[in-house]
Amino acid sequence: MILRFILALAVTALSVNGWTCNVVMCDHTNTNNSQIYCGGDILKAVNEANLFNDSKEFVDMPLKFDPDTTIADFEAEFNGTGKIDPVKLQKFVNDHFYPAGHELEQCVPAGYSPKPGKLMTIVDDSLRDWALNLNNVWSHLCRKVSDNVTLHPELHSLIEVPHEFIIPGGRFREPYYWDAYWIVKGLLASEMYEAAARMLLNYKSYVDRFGFIPNGGRVYYLQRSQPPMYIPMIYEFYEATKNVSFVRKLLASAEAELNFWDTHRTVDVSLPHGDYTLYRYNSASNVPRPEAFKEDMATANATDRQSCDLWSNLATTAETGYDFSTRWFADKKSLVTIETKNVVPVDLNSFICWNLEILTFLFEYVGMDTVKSDQYRQRYITHRRNLQKVFFNETEGAWLDYNLREKAHNPTFYASLAAPLFTNCYEKLDSNKAVQIYDFFKRHKAFEFTSGVPQSTINSSQQWDFPNGWSHVNHMIIEGFRKSNSPQMQEEAFALATKWVRGNYKVFNATKHMYEKYDVVGDIPQPGAGGEYNVQEGFGWSNGVILDLLVTYGDRISVSGGDKTTAAAGAYISSGLGLIALMIPMFLRA
Ligand SMILES: *[C@@H]1O[C@H](CO)[C@@H](O)[C@H](O)[C@H]1NC(C)=O
Ligand SMILES: *[C@@H]1O[C@H](CO)[C@@H](O)[C@H](O)[C@H]1NC(C)=O
Ligand SMILES: *[C@@H]1O[C@H](CO)[C@@H](O)[C@H](O)[C@H]1NC(C)=O
Ligand SMILES: *[C@@H]1O[C@H](CO)[C@@H](O)[C@H](O)[C@H]1NC(C)=O
Ligand SMILES: *[C@@H]1O[C@H](CO)[C@@H](O)[C@H](O)[C@H]1NC(C)=O
Ligand SMILES: *[C@@H]1O[C@H](CO)[C@@H](O)[C@H](O)[C@H]1NC(C)=O
Ligand SMILES: *[C@@H]1O[C@H](CO)[C@@H](O)[C@H](O)[C@H]1NC(C)=O
Ligand SMILES: *[C@@H]1O[C@H](CO)[C@@H](O)[C@H](O)[C@H]1NC(C)=O
Ligand SMILES: *[C@@H]1O[C@H](CO)[C@@H](O)[C@H](O)[C@H]1NC(C)=O
C-alpha cells in the first residue's frame, strides 16, 4: 500500500511542461481512496479518454470494490498497453463504479411546512405563490448520506455528515461551504429552524474532524476551504431563534474554524504607513483539481508556466468562491496568468471582520464569557482599522483588492467590493461610506442593467464576470445598503432588491426553474453562461436569496408596477450638493 502510494504520487506529478515539484493533494492522512479520487492513473486515464463531459462526474462515483482491488484490476488490465482503449476503459468504469450520486438519498427537510407564516405575509399574490413554490423546492434539494458511506467510507468520495442537508443542485450534489450561508437564510425565511440547525451541525462535524470546513463535502475538496461563512450562519440562526443552548454548543467549533484562517491564511502587507496582517486565500494543492481535471490539464497545456504553481493558483481561486474571474488574472484577460495568491481580497477580509464581531457578540450573550468577548472585540477593532488602511482608496472612494506583486490596488470594478458594507466592517459614524460605494458602483455603470448588478463589467467569458449577476453578491450589495445609516441608501437597497427579484421572477416564469447565476442584460433575462461547466438549475443560494428578500420587503415589493428604478434614481446623489443634502437629515437624526 505504501509503495503503491509513493509510485502513484510520482505519477500524479503529471507535469506537462517538464516541471517537477512535491505534490500536494488530498492524501492518506485524510482519506484512504486518494489514489482514486484525488490523483492516480485511473483518474488520469478517464479524463484523457474524455469519458465524461463534466470532469466532476467520475470523482463522484462510488466504488464497488475497495480502492486497492480497483487499482490492481486497473493495472492488470491496462499496464503497459500504451494508449488506453476508451471502450475498454468505459467498461472498466461501469464494472467498478456506481453512478455519480448513488450514495445520496432524497429527504424531506426537518420542519418543512407548505405554508410557513413568514412567507404567507408576502402581500403580492404572484410573489407569494413563487415563494411557496421555492419553499417546496427545499424538498427536492434535500439529501442525506446513505448508510453505505458510514460503513465503507473508503468506497466513496463523499465525506460522511451526520444530518440531512440542502444541496445547491445540478452537478453540485453534496454540501458546499459558503453557499450554505444563503441556504440557511432561506431556510430561516421558510421557518425551517430544525433543518438549519442540522446544517450547522454538519459544518461543526467537518471542523471537529478536519480542523476546517472544506470547499464541499468530498475528499477531493480537502485541500481548500471557501469564504468563511460558518460563524455568520451561526449568527443568523441565533438571531432568528435566540436558541442559546444550541448555539453555545457550536462556539468551540466556531473558534476552531477561525483559527484555521489565522494559522494558514494570513499575510503581512507592508505599506509606507505601517505593517498590517490580513488574510488571503491560499490552497496548498498543486495538482489539477480532480473535479476539473481536463480543464486544468488544458490550462497547463496552454502555457509555459510551471504547472504546480498554476494549479495551486487555480485551486486557490476555487477557495475564493469566484472561480473564475478576471479579478484574479495578472493581465485581466487570460486564465493562464492567474495569480490569486498575490491578491489580498477585500471580501475575505470583510468576512473575517464580521466573524470577529459576531464572536464578540456571541461570547458576550451566549458564551457568557466577557474575557473572550473583549479579546475578540480588540481583534475586531484592529482588523477593521487594518482593512480601512490597506483597502480604502481615497481617490476611487472604494475598498479595492491589494495586489502584493504590484504593491497597489486593483482599480477594476467587481461587485464583491461591497462586502465591507454587508459585513458592517466600517465605523458606523462614518456614515458617508455607503454613499461613496454607491457612487463608485454608479461610476462603473453597475446599476444600468435590467435584472441586477453584474459581477464585473468585463465580458471575459468567465462565469464570474459580465454579463453574469450572482444572487448572493446582489444580496450582499442590497443588504449592505439596507443596513447602512443612510435612508437614501436604504431606498436604493429596495430598488435593487426589486430589480433582482423581478429579473429572477421573469426567468422562473418562463422556465419554471431557478439558476445559479443570471444574465443581467436585456429585457428577457436568461440564466447566465460562461465558465467551465454548464449553468446549473436548483438552486440553493438563489432560492435562499429570493426568500430572504421577499420576507424582508414582503409588505411592499411587487412583481410589476411603477416603483422607481435604481438607474433612474441616484442622479441626485452624485452631485456634491446632493451629498450635503443627504447629510443633513443624518445630523438631525443624531
Ligand atoms: C484508513 O483505513 C484504516 C483501516 O481501515 C483506518 O484505520 C483509517 O482511519 C483510515 N484513514 C482515514 C483517513 O480514513
Ligand atoms: C457530451 O457533450 C456532447 C456535445 O455537447 C453531447 O452530444 C453528448 O451527448 C454528451 N455526452 C454525455 C455523456 O453527456
Ligand atoms: C503496473 O505497473 C506498475 C509500475 O508502473 C507496477 O508497480 C505494477 O506492479 C504493475 N502491475 C501489474 C499488474 O503488472
Ligand atoms: C450499498 O452497498 C451495497 C453493497 O455494496 C450495494 O448493493 C447498494 O447498491 C449500495 N447502496 C447505495 C445506496 O449505495
Ligand atoms: C434549539 O435548537 C435545537 C436544534 O434545532 C432544538 O433541538 C431545541 O429544541 C432548540 N431549543 C429551543 C429552546 O428552541
Ligand atoms: C495538449 O496539447 C497537445 C498538443 O498541442 C494536444 O495534443 C493535447 O490534446 C493537449 N492536452 C490537453 C489536455 O488539452
Ligand atoms: C488609488 O487609486 C488611484 C486611482 O485609481 C491610483 O492611482 C492609486 O495608485 C491607488 N492607490 C493605491 C495605494 O493603489
Ligand atoms: C460577450 O462576448 C461574447 C463573445 O465575444 C459575445 O458573443 C457576447 O454577445 C458578449 N455579451 C455581451 C452581453 O456583450
Ligand atoms: C408569466 O408568464 C405568462 C405566460 O407564460 C405571462 O402571461 C405573464 O405575463 C408572465 N408574468 C410576468 C410577471 O412576467
Side-chain angles (χ1 to χ4, degrees):
M1 177 65 203
I2 304 269
L3 181 63
R4 178 175 301 125
F5 177 72
I6 292 166
L7 286 172
L9 267 191
V11 172
T12 317
L14 284 175
S15 177
V16 284
N17 304 323
W19 299 96
T20 46
C21 47
N22 292 328
V23 167
V24 179
M25 57 178 207
C26 86
D27 61 26
H28 64 295
T29 63
N30 47 37
T31 173
N32 278 330
N33 52 28
S34 59
Q35 289 308 314
I36 304 285
Y37 294 119
C38 307
D41 289 344
I42 306 177
L43 177 65
K44 184 165 174 277
V46 163
N47 280 286
E48 282 177 353
N50 202 11
L51 291 192
F52 302 97
N53 282 344
D54 185 341
S55 300
K56 185 169 183 295
E57 186 152 350
F58 173 68
V59 286
D60 290 358
M61 296 171 73
L63 286 162
K64 292 183 179 170
F65 313 100
D66 68 72
D68 281 355
T69 305
T70 307
I71 292 168
D73 287 357
F74 179 82
E75 286 177 353
E77 187 166 356
F78 297 106
N79 248 16
T81 56
K83 193 164 162 44
I84 291 174
D85 177 358
V87 176
K88 284 191 181 146
L89 185 61
Q90 182 71 62
K91 182 169 185 314
F92 174 86
V93 169
N94 295 346
D95 290 346
H96 288 81
F97 293 83
Y98 292 111
H102 189 72
E103 76 287 57
L104 289 158
E105 294 164 19
Q106 189 97 17
C107 43
V108 176
Y112 169 81
S113 133
K115 292 189 176 175
K118 280 194 215 168
L119 301 186
M120 295 311 288
T121 66
I122 298 166
V123 170
D124 185 287
D125 290 340
S126 306
L127 294 180
R128 189 176 58 252
D129 286 350
W130 185 31
L132 294 177
N133 196 313
L134 297 187
N135 177 61
N136 248 327
V137 173
W138 295 132
S139 308
H140 303 296
L141 297 177
C142 182
R143 296 288 183 280
K144 69 187 180 74
V145 175
S146 115
D147 292 343
N148 279 7
V149 181
T150 316
L151 289 172
H152 289 290
E154 74 283 3
L155 301 182
H156 303 89
S157 63
L158 190 72
I159 300 167
E160 189 206 351
V161 284
H163 301 284
E164 59 271 39
F165 47 87
I166 302 293
I167 58 165
R171 74 198 281 275
F172 302 110
R173 41 176 88 81
E174 49 282 320
Y176 279 82
Y177 182 8
W178 80 316
D179 295 62
Y181 170 82
W182 288 275
I183 291 172
V184 163
K185 285 290 273 186
L187 292 175
L188 297 174
S190 290
E191 299 181 342
M192 288 156 67
Y193 304 113
E194 181 59 27
R198 291 182 188 185
M199 299 264 297
L200 290 170
L201 290 173
N202 286 342
Y203 291 99
K204 175 181 184 298
S205 88
Y206 292 128
V207 178
D208 292 346
R209 282 175 287 168
F210 305 113
F212 79 111
I213 298 176
N215 181 148
R218 298 263 176 194
V219 296
Y220 53 77
Y221 288 136
L222 280 170
Q223 283 291 357
R224 61 185 205 238
S225 188
Q226 246 191 344
M229 298 303 277
Y230 176 53
I231 293 170
M233 274 183 243
I234 298 173
Y235 166 73
E236 299 293 353
F237 180 84
Y238 177 71
E239 277 303 287
T241 64
K242 300 287 181 224
N243 188 331
V244 170
S245 59
F246 180 77
V247 169
R248 191 175 289 144
K249 282 188 243 157
L250 303 176
L251 288 180
S253 63
E255 289 194 280
E257 209 257 343
L258 181 61
N259 185 53
F260 164 81
W261 295 88
D262 291 341
T263 311
H264 300 288
R265 295 294 187 265
T266 54
V267 64
D268 291 326
V269 178
S270 287
L271 296 178
H273 44 81
D275 295 336
Y276 305 93
T277 299
L278 288 164
Y279 296 76
R280 68 169 158 173
Y281 296 105
N282 195 4
S283 170
S285 170
N286 60 5
V287 297
R289 290 166 299 148
E291 82 288 4
F293 194 95
K294 275 187 289 182
E295 290 73 13
D296 285 0
M297 286 301 286
T299 306
N301 215 3
T303 171
D304 291 337
R305 186 171 163 189
Q306 186 186 357
S307 303
C308 323
D309 173 54
L310 175 68
W311 286 327
S312 198
N313 273 287
L314 291 169
T316 295
T317 313
E319 184 171 86
T320 72
Y322 299 98
D323 44 325
F324 291 98
S325 161
T326 52
R327 180 180 177 195
W328 315 115
F329 303 167
D331 69 355
K332 301 287 170 286
K333 289 190 192 74
S334 43
L335 183 60
V336 294
T337 69
I338 196 158
E339 59 160 354
T340 310
K341 291 179 187 225
N342 286 336
V343 178
V344 189
V346 169
D347 43 355
L348 170 58
N349 284 283
S350 306
F351 298 141
I352 295 288
C353 194
W354 203 22
N355 284 347
L356 293 169
E357 189 183 16
I358 292 168
L359 289 182
T360 306
F361 173 71
L362 292 180
F363 272 106
E364 175 93 39
Y365 296 102
V366 176
M368 306 300 174
D369 185 338
T370 52
V371 175
K372 269 200 173 152
S373 179
D374 287 347
Q375 285 166 354
Y376 282 113
R377 183 178 294 104
Q378 205 46 55
R379 284 190 60 189
Y380 164 62
I381 291 168
T382 304
H383 184 70
R384 188 181 63 185
R385 184 189 302 135
N386 292 351
L387 190 142
Q388 303 308 323
K389 297 261 190 202
V390 174
F391 296 122
F392 198 76
N393 184 307
E394 294 291 346
T395 318
E396 296 286 348
W399 295 286
L400 300 173
D401 289 345
Y402 183 80
N403 187 298
L404 295 167
R405 177 181 53 80
E406 294 186 323
K407 298 194 175 12
H409 288 144
N410 174 3
T412 317
F413 164 79
Y414 291 103
S416 37
L417 296 175
L421 290 183
F422 172 63
T423 57
N424 307 305
C425 196
Y426 61 106
E427 298 200 45
K428 288 297 139 342
L429 294 180
D430 189 0
S431 41
N432 195 38
K433 269 286 185 297
V435 177
Q436 274 183 302
I437 300 306
Y438 184 90
D439 272 351
F440 175 77
F441 271 55
K442 193 166 155 41
R443 270 203 315 284
H444 288 277
K445 307 192 187 317
F447 302 131
E448 292 183 10
F449 302 96
T450 323
S451 310
V453 176
Q455 188 59 24
S456 78
T457 49
I458 302 171
N459 181 0
S460 68
S461 83
Q462 298 296 339
Q463 66 165 348
W464 291 93
D465 274 311
F466 189 80
N468 289 338
W470 291 77
S471 309
H472 62 303
V473 179
N474 274 267
H475 182 258
M476 284 194 262
I477 297 166
I478 293 163
E479 286 290 276
F481 289 130
R482 187 181 69 81
K483 292 193 263 186
S484 78
N485 279 341
S486 155
Q488 280 75 10
M489 291 300 108
Q490 290 164 7
E491 276 311 295
E492 295 305 338
F494 175 63
L496 287 169
T498 300
K499 203 184 231 198
W500 186 254
V501 162
R502 289 180 181 176
N504 277 216
Y505 183 82
K506 277 189 198 161
V507 178
F508 182 83
N509 194 29
T511 68
K512 301 299 167 225
H513 290 291
M514 295 292 289
Y515 294 86
E516 66 164 348
K517 57 186 178 255
Y518 291 85
D519 180 338
V520 299
V521 178
D523 282 337
I524 306 188
Q526 305 285 343
E532 59 184 17
Y533 54 81
N534 296 331
V535 67
Q536 301 296 306
E537 287 176 13
F539 195 93
W541 64 17
S542 300
N543 302 14
V545 164
I546 291 298
L547 291 173
D548 184 61
L549 293 177
L550 290 180
V551 166
T552 301
Y553 295 116
D555 56 340
R556 60 172 175 152
I557 198 162
S558 63
V559 77
S560 59
D563 309 61
K564 68 168 186 170
T565 67
T566 313
Y572 59 92
I573 284 161
S574 306
S575 79
L577 272 180
L579 277 182
I580 293 164
L582 276 179
M583 305 288 295
I584 292 168
M586 319 258 332
F587 281 121
L588 288 179
R589 195 159 285 104

